[in-house]
Amino acid sequence: MRDGATLKFGGKEFHSRLIVGTGKYPDYPTMQKALEASGTEIVTVAVRRVNLDRKQESLLDYIDLARYTLLPNTAGCYTAEEACKYARLAREVGMSELVKLEVIGDPRTLFPDNEELLKATRTLVKEGFIVLPYTNDDPVFCKKLEEAGAAAVMPLGAPIGSGLGLRNPHNIRIILEQAHVPVIVDAGVGTASDAAIAMELGCDGVLMNTAIAMAKDPVLMAEAMRKAVEAGRQAYLAGRIPKRLYASASTTMEGMIE
Amino acid sequence: MQIRLNGKTREVAEGITIRRLLDELKLHPMRVAVQRNQDIVKRDRYDEVVLQPGDTVEILTMMAGG
């Protein structure tokens, strides 16, 4: 039973179990309101070139660093070497050892290259990073990442940005049974019920971006996701009834007139 | 002298340090990471690192991402 009151990894503790990305919002003020509505305490960011041609608003002007922990990603990296470089650059900008480690293997599916991912995890753990790897819903591989020192494992529910929900909840259950580190479903969530399902299974958290940012009303969806994650967590802790094929009356037959 | 800055050629003063370059670009040193010829330059070395002609410099920051 994963019944901790808080989400803990790498010596840090969080009350919210929802991690939210900062990409794809219509504008920064909407993002800011959505983050607020989501109740999140951890937001993902990317490391990219400063735009020198035109004055840009800075993302960091819209993120209260006293309130949110930045989780830099290595999105767009295709090799362990490249991902490690981005992690180190992120540490340099963000003054944090946290990294959402992504090593992509294929541009259409954005599925991870697990071989490179494992290599990068080992390297970064050695360098003192708190590594949160994005990986497949593969129990064997999640175990390997844990053994390599990952602070949590983040299996995908479905491809990034697909909104297909948890395609293989059974694998997620096996991962949960085996893991001694937090399990955070990263990617695939489309709507509130998807997040609730992940949490009902016993996941320690859910990470999402597109489902909120690309919703018609991102702020309202962010609030829905907060409630879904909380509801799913409560349902997990409460312990659901077993499924059964036939009915079981809620009202007694006793006391009926003859 | 010329350097490559974020993928483009740029004219800068001879002997310019990373700190001066960031000043000229009006970039806050606490909000960027700097890579020079493939090596990350730590923030506490911005004053001492003098750029050479032909250097490739990348200045990066936190951007939106998932």
Side-chain angles (χ1 to χ4, degrees):
Chain A
M1 184 87 185
R2 296 171 164 264
D3 56 359
T6 54
L7 172 61
K8 286 184 198 169
F9 52 77
K12 297 172 191 290
E13 191 174 8
F14 304 95
H15 292 89
S16 166
R17 293 177 179 275
L18 176 56
I19 303 175
V20 181
T22 56
K24 295 187 182 172
Y25 291 86
D27 49 58
Y28 285 148
T30 305
M31 177 202 76
Q32 192 175 39
K33 282 187 213 124
L35 294 180
E36 164 112 36
S38 76
T40 188
E41 293 168 325
I42 309 170
V43 298
T44 64
V45 292
V47 180
R48 291 290 182 265
R49 279 174 170 167
V50 169
N51 191 333
L52 298 170
D53 295 333
R54 59 192 167 87
K55 180 72 187 148
Q56 257 187 330
E57 280 188 304
S58 169
L59 171 73
L60 295 177
D61 290 334
Y62 290 87
I63 296 176
D64 178 2
L65 294 178
R67 176 166 174 185
Y68 301 110
T69 296
L70 295 183
L71 174 56
N73 68 28
T74 61
C77 293
Y78 279 77
T79 64
E81 193 185 354
E82 198 182 11
C84 290
K85 172 171 274 185
Y86 272 83
R88 293 177 195 121
L89 286 165
R91 176 160 66 180
E92 203 51 34
V93 194
M95 300 149 283
S96 150
E97 323 292 323
L98 280 174
V99 60
K100 175 191 161 182
L101 186 61
E102 287 180 55
V103 187
I104 302 300
D106 168 57
R108 277 188 73 202
T109 58
L110 298 178
F111 283 140
D113 181 328
N114 279 334
E115 194 181 349
E116 292 294 301
L117 181 67
L118 189 59
K119 228 194 290 178
T121 300
R122 289 195 178 116
T123 303
L124 292 173
V125 166
K126 239 181 258 168
E127 293 179 23
F129 282 89
I130 300 162
V131 181
L132 313 178
Y134 151 77
T135 186
N136 293 99
D137 53 2
D138 174 348
V140 174
F141 202 75
C142 283
K143 198 79 208 148
K144 285 192 185 185
L145 289 167
E146 181 181 333
E147 283 161 9
V153 289
M154 303 209 294
L156 53 82
I160 294 172
S162 69
L164 288 170
L166 261 67
R167 295 293 76 205
N168 199 339
H170 309 291
N171 273 25
I172 301 287
R173 277 179 61 190
I174 297 171
I175 293 167
L176 283 162
E177 273 188 28
Q178 296 182 346
H180 299 99
V181 292
V183 177
I184 298 166
V185 164
D186 175 7
V189 166
T191 189
S193 53
D194 298 330
I197 287 168
M199 296 308 295
E200 284 170 15
L201 291 174
C203 289
D204 299 275
V206 181
L207 191 161
M208 65 182 75
N209 190 155
T210 309
I212 293 176
M214 299 288 279
K216 270 189 201 156
D217 184 339
V219 180
L220 191 57
M221 186 58 89
E223 186 183 345
M225 291 300 185
R226 173 174 64 76
K227 290 175 176 168
V229 168
E230 285 173 8
R233 179 67 185 169
Q234 286 175 329
Y236 169 71
L237 293 173
R240 62 154 298 151
I241 58 160
K243 291 183 185 179
R244 48 195 292 166
L245 189 56
Y246 292 99
S248 160
S250 301
T251 305
T252 178
M253 296 294 282
E254 228 180 271
M256 290 190 80
I257 51 174
E258 317 228 329
Chain B
M1 67 176 191
Q2 287 192 334
I3 60 167
R4 286 291 284 179
L5 178 62
N6 284 13
K8 286 183 182 163
T9 303
R10 191 179 184 101
E11 193 66 34
V12 295
E14 297 275 341
I16 194 170
T17 60
I18 300 229
R19 171 83 56 195
R20 280 272 315 284
L21 178 65
L22 293 177
D23 282 350
E24 275 183 20
L25 297 168
K26 298 188 170 55
L27 294 173
H28 198 299
M30 294 302 284
R31 285 194 173 186
V32 297
V34 178
Q35 180 179 288
R36 178 198 182 204
N37 302 334
Q38 300 298 317
D39 293 321
I40 293 172
V41 181
K42 295 274 178 197
R43 197 167 281 142
D44 56 11
R45 295 193 58 234
Y46 287 175
D47 278 323
E48 60 194 75
V49 173
V50 176
L51 296 178
Q52 302 300 316
D55 272 358
T56 299
V57 178
E58 299 284 350
I59 306 177
L60 301 108
T61 190
M62 295 296 189
M63 295 277 188

